Amino acid sequence: MQKTPYEIIGKEALYKMIDHFYMLVEQDDRINHLFPGDFKETSRKQKQFLTQFLGGPKLYTEEHGHPMLKYKHLPFKITPRERDAWLENMEQAIHEAEFPHGTGDYLFERLKMTANHMVNSEI
């Protein structure tokens, strides 16, 4: 049986990467204003989501229902600038996480598609 990306990366490494990502985002004035004041809660939800996204337990859906990412991000103005800032921080966090060969690239490519989908304004 083939392992899921979540099983290959592992919970501990994934969660550490997400915590590092939100530390970067909190310091990034290009996008930190988009996040409600509690980065710990945002990080917790991202851990649930990425666990599920990578083939692990369906933690996000069990607590929050279907992710409906586009809908949940509509209250926030997300332009290509915000998308790019988010992706730059994510790429740095994934790179520094030193995931097993290829899994970081796989995750980043999947997240690029998701980030592109979240853009809801050109200006």
Side-chain angles (χ1 to χ4, degrees), residues 11-78:
K11 177 181 176 178
E12 186 176 320
L14 179 65
Y15 283 20
K16 185 177 177 183
M17 182 279 295
I18 293 167
D19 287 337
H20 182 69
F21 168 72
Y22 280 106
M23 182 205 66
L24 295 170
V25 168
E26 193 168 4
Q27 298 169 7
D28 189 335
D29 292 337
R30 296 174 298 168
I31 57 172
N32 58 15
H33 63 278
L34 293 174
F35 294 84
D38 187 0
F39 280 89
K40 286 185 177 162
E41 178 61 13
T42 303
S43 179
R44 185 182 78 80
K45 287 179 180 177
Q46 183 73 276
K47 288 171 184 171
Q48 292 176 322
F49 176 76
L50 285 181
T51 293
Q52 182 170 322
F53 187 74
L54 292 170
K58 302 210 177 300
L59 303 176
Y60 189 93
T61 299
E62 287 171 4
E63 184 174 337
H64 309 285
H66 189 281
M68 300 187 308
L69 293 178
K70 184 83 170 179
Y71 175 77
K72 289 181 179 175
H73 286 81
L74 282 177
F76 308 100
K77 182 178 174 182
I78 302 173

Side-chain angles (χ1 to χ4, degrees), residues 39-121:
F39 280 89
K40 286 185 177 162
E41 178 61 13
T42 303
S43 179
R44 185 182 78 80
K45 287 179 180 177
Q46 183 73 276
K47 288 171 184 171
Q48 292 176 322
F49 176 76
L50 285 181
T51 293
Q52 182 170 322
F53 187 74
L54 292 170
K58 302 210 177 300
L59 303 176
Y60 189 93
T61 299
E62 287 171 4
E63 184 174 337
H64 309 285
H66 189 281
M68 300 187 308
L69 293 178
K70 184 83 170 179
Y71 175 77
K72 289 181 179 175
H73 286 81
L74 282 177
F76 308 100
K77 182 178 174 182
I78 302 173
T79 69
R81 179 178 184 265
E82 283 83 14
R83 175 205 58 209
D84 292 348
W86 190 93
L87 285 169
E88 286 172 26
N89 286 296
M90 184 57 76
E91 185 174 36
Q92 182 178 343
I94 289 171
H95 177 73
E96 292 177 16
E98 298 180 358
F99 290 154
H101 181 71
T103 54
D105 294 336
Y106 168 81
L107 174 57
F108 187 68
E109 289 304 312
R110 296 262 330 262
L111 290 174
K112 276 201 302 194
M113 290 186 285
T114 303
N116 284 324
H117 185 64
M118 294 303 107
V119 173
N120 57 28
S121 177

